[in-house]
Amino acid sequence: MTSATPITLTPGGRIDAARPFVPVRIAVLTVSDTRDEESDTSGQVLADRVTGAGHLLADRAIVRDDVDEIRARLLAWVDSGQVDAVISTGGTGITGRDVTPEAVEPLFDKRIDGFSVVFHLVSYQSVGLSTLQSRATAGIINGVFVFCLPGSNGAVKDGWDKVIQAQLDSRHGPCNMVELMPRLLET
């Protein structure tokens, strides 16, 4: 009997340096009952990666694990016209206090179902079956992309570095979400 060969996934696509880079206005939302500005390490990791990639940090906030607070902050950004994408960290787990998907998903005009699938593939490479404890999700609310990541630094790094960053880079091909932004509100 032979042992199974592990499957390794290599993502396709590439950055085309001949294409212009378009900075995206990204807000970072930390959902937590216990973190503050000083202890919000996952929010800081995400903010640093956003600006390090050349994007604009449109805003950053921390809200409690509360459906109404999450929705209020998210909708304020969406309605401001100053944010192209929101990335949240925290509240996607399976405990009673984890309510980010419950707060955000009913607001989606469209779900980005593939985000969860790809995030879990990437996460599985880092944390194995522990990825089952995440309910990472994404969608579009009134023309604004919304990505909801778990609250750990590792999950934020995996989510940004291996999933979100390429799709929010206008140079990524064969396609990216930036080129879709002007068309998100088409009727």
Side-chain angles (χ1 to χ4, degrees):
M1 182 171 190
T2 62
S3 63
T5 302
I7 296 172
T8 303
L9 298 175
T10 305
R14 62 181 175 78
I15 298 295
D16 181 351
R19 295 173 80 173
F21 177 78
V22 177
V24 176
R25 300 171 300 175
I26 302 171
V28 173
L29 179 63
T30 298
V31 178
S32 175
D33 287 336
T34 59
R35 294 186 184 165
D36 58 21
E37 284 186 35
E38 190 174 310
S39 62
D40 179 21
T41 58
S42 63
Q44 188 62 53
V45 166
L46 192 50
D48 290 345
R49 278 172 156 67
V50 164
T51 57
H55 297 294
L56 305 172
L57 184 62
D59 202 359
R60 183 174 165 195
I62 301 171
V63 297
R64 292 180 308 129
D65 289 279
D66 177 85
V67 169
D68 293 332
E69 284 189 36
I70 296 166
R71 285 182 181 167
R73 172 64 358 230
L74 183 58
L75 289 174
W77 282 334
V78 167
D79 293 342
S80 75
Q82 301 302 308
V83 174
D84 302 311
V86 175
I87 307 172
S88 74
T89 171
T92 64
I94 56 177
T95 71
R97 293 293 300 151
D98 292 318
V99 296
T100 300
E102 288 77 11
V104 176
E105 288 178 341
L107 303 176
F108 287 162
D109 299 314
K110 293 189 177 186
R111 291 180 56 102
I112 304 172
D113 293 321
F115 172 79
S116 181
V117 173
V118 174
F119 174 80
H120 285 291
L121 287 170
V122 166
S123 178
Y124 181 75
Q125 299 297 313
S126 297
V127 299
L129 290 174
S130 294
T131 193
L132 295 176
Q133 296 178 27
S134 166
R135 297 179 299 142
T137 188
I140 301 167
I141 302 171
N142 197 25
V144 174
F145 291 108
V146 177
F147 303 92
C148 302
L149 296 171
S152 73
N153 290 351
V156 165
K157 290 173 185 176
D158 282 347
W160 174 260
D161 296 351
K162 300 175 183 175
V163 186
I164 301 169
Q165 182 178 6
Q167 279 298 291
L168 292 183
D169 191 324
S170 56
R171 302 167 301 171
H172 186 269
C175 56
N176 60 75
M177 291 179 173
V178 178
E179 62 195 12
L180 299 177
M181 290 168 120
R183 299 177 39 218
L184 291 177
L185 296 176
E186 287 178 339
T187 55

